[in-house]
Amino acid sequence: ARNDVARRVQVKPEAGQPVVVFNDLSWDRWGTTRFHLALPTRGAVALSLKDARGRDVPHQLSNVERYEENSLKEADVTALVETPSLGYTTVYIRGGGTKPHALADAVPDVLDTPFHRLTFEGGRLTSLEDRQTGLVLADPNVVRFYAIEDTGPYHFGPLREVHEPEPLGLAVLESGPLFTTVRQLSRVGPHHLTQDLTVWQHEPGVDFVTTIDSVGGDGFFKVHFEMPVDGALNVDVPFGVEPRDVTAEPYGEILERRRENVFYGSTWVDCSDGARGMALLIEPGMQGFSFDPETRVLAHTLLKVIVHPTEGWERHATRLREGKGRQVFRYRLLPHLGDWREAGLPRQSLAW
């Protein structure tokens, strides 16, 4: 349907190569969009992006490929655009503009942006400070592997060992006018992790992409964030928002209730004291969380792995349940003022 609408959009060929950006939500949006651009004609060393009114569109190039004489061949383009509700805007691309921002391999001890201060030590991220709220997260984005003894139905069992991550390397992947991405490599037990962290120049959200190269086993992976605010938990559920107080949940012998402090939500969970808060946005379908009220650590379950049964009916089930191979997970931290309503978390999760 969007392709059909795009064909009907009146463009200005003289202004450059048009890219039509749609907004399928019912409110105006100002944010980034990403698209891949191929240039069959040689000669453009860099790009210039403008909107339909001729105004410059901030942008950043990634994964750049060039012809032999150094002109652009292909690139991923991230552009900061305004789009009306249930409408579209057109961006025009021409050769010219400034050259792509030079990349740096070394990660500084401290990385500052208008919204954040990130501190790195020992090959890992050790703190994340949000300038707007003053909230500081210690050791954020720690992924641990919980090995279990698979002794019960639903592959439930007691914990045998908790594997902590071992840092293997840190590098800046991209740095430019819109965003900076830092990659952290680590090993957790027999598994390898690749964690990309992206901070933006125009907004306070922090994006994470965690890739787990899993060798399988019995257990589960969780990512952890120590909540820096002593507030209440609220979670997104189908058609609403509900409070979550793990101290009042009826944990016990019922199978689904044997792990204490576990709860579920749809696409976000928020911890706020009403004046400021911290939200974790996740992809739909990844509903598992836990919260330790003593340490105030919020954890999000990324992946459960099992050893494929050799007896019983489960031996005929798909081996995809083993969880082996490369698994990719996206989530976002969003510091904010006020509570979840003032932060507009329902809209934030839909627009992310």
Side-chain angles (χ1 to χ4, degrees):
R2 281 186 293 186
N3 289 337
D4 184 61
V5 173
R7 284 192 292 267
R8 300 168 186 264
V9 174
Q10 295 183 354
V11 298
K12 308 171 185 176
E14 69 279 3
Q17 181 175 338
V19 174
V20 180
V21 181
F22 288 94
N23 177 10
D24 58 359
L25 299 176
S26 59
W27 58 88
D28 296 347
R29 295 171 63 187
W30 179 74
T32 56
T33 185
R34 190 179 179 99
F35 54 89
H36 186 76
L37 181 68
L39 295 101
T41 304
R42 303 179 183 223
V45 177
L47 298 177
S48 172
L49 274 65
K50 294 185 180 294
D51 63 15
R53 299 180 183 178
R55 299 174 298 184
D56 290 331
V57 174
H59 63 281
Q60 185 170 327
L61 303 185
S62 309
N63 303 317
V64 176
E65 293 186 27
R66 295 183 177 274
Y67 292 106
E68 294 82 357
E69 75 283 3
N70 204 39
S71 62
L72 285 172
K73 183 178 182 181
E74 293 186 49
D76 292 325
V77 182
T78 302
L80 185 60
V81 298
E82 295 180 69
T83 51
S85 64
L86 298 174
Y88 64 87
T89 190
T90 306
V91 175
Y92 294 93
I93 305 174
R94 300 179 67 95
T98 58
K99 293 184 178 180
H101 195 279
L103 302 184
D105 292 328
V107 178
D109 294 336
V110 176
L111 177 62
D112 285 310
T113 77
F115 290 91
H116 317 94
R117 165 165 282 205
L118 286 73
T119 304
F120 301 90
E121 185 178 344
R124 62 188 180 89
L125 176 66
T126 55
S127 75
L128 192 160
E129 176 184 354
D130 175 66
R131 299 183 186 278
Q132 181 184 21
T133 62
L135 296 175
V136 180
L137 285 85
D139 294 322
N141 199 37
V142 174
V143 173
R144 298 183 176 97
F145 178 65
Y146 294 79
I148 68 167
E149 190 73 35
D150 188 353
T151 58
Y154 296 169
H155 301 280
F156 178 90
L159 287 175
R160 290 193 299 105
E161 185 178 3
V162 179
H163 294 274
E164 297 286 342
E166 175 189 348
L168 299 177
L170 201 64
V172 175
L173 287 189
E174 303 179 51
S175 184
L178 290 187
F179 64 89
T180 296
T181 298
V182 177
R183 171 166 290 179
Q184 177 178 313
L185 302 177
S186 57
R187 180 169 51 237
V188 54
H191 316 277
H192 283 79
L193 303 178
T194 302
Q195 294 175 280
D196 292 345
L197 172 154
T198 298
V199 288
W200 301 88
Q201 295 289 329
H202 67 284
E203 59 126 326
V206 182
D207 290 322
F208 299 91
V209 179
T210 291
T211 301
I212 302 174
D213 287 303
S214 166
V215 300
D218 281 317
F220 49 90
F221 297 86
K222 283 186 175 184
V223 60
H224 303 76
F225 297 95
E226 182 179 342
M227 290 292 98
V229 57
D230 187 9
L233 291 178
N234 286 277
V235 298
D236 173 47
V237 298
F239 310 109
V241 176
E242 292 181 351
R244 285 288 185 270
D245 181 0
V246 295
T247 64
E249 292 289 333
Y251 299 107
E253 289 303 313
I254 300 175
L255 186 60
E256 293 85 352
R257 292 285 185 169
R258 288 184 183 176
R259 293 218 188 278
E260 291 187 359
N261 301 330
V262 171
F263 64 95
Y264 298 91
S266 292
T267 57
W268 57 263
V269 57
D270 180 60
C271 182
S272 171
D273 62 5
R276 56 185 183 168
M278 186 73 64
L280 177 63
L281 280 61
I282 63 171
E283 293 187 300
M286 299 294 297
Q287 301 103 327
F289 301 97
S290 66
F291 182 72
D292 188 327
E294 295 185 2
T295 63
R296 303 203 61 78
V297 171
L298 174 68
H300 171 40
T301 303
L302 299 178
L303 176 68
K304 179 175 174 60
V305 295
I306 67 171
V307 173
H308 188 73
T310 57
E311 299 178 352
W313 68 267
E314 284 189 290
R315 72 184 188 277
H316 303 296
T318 173
R319 298 187 74 100
L320 293 176
R321 300 191 309 160
E322 293 179 287
K324 291 182 178 179
R326 179 158 293 182
Q327 319 283 341
V328 182
F329 305 92
R330 295 173 61 249
Y331 43 96
R332 157 174 274 221
L333 269 184
L334 185 61
H336 61 83
L337 296 173
D339 62 10
W340 65 267
R341 293 179 179 86
E342 294 173 81
L345 291 184
R347 284 191 173 192
Q348 292 279 0
S349 65
L350 287 172
W352 175 54

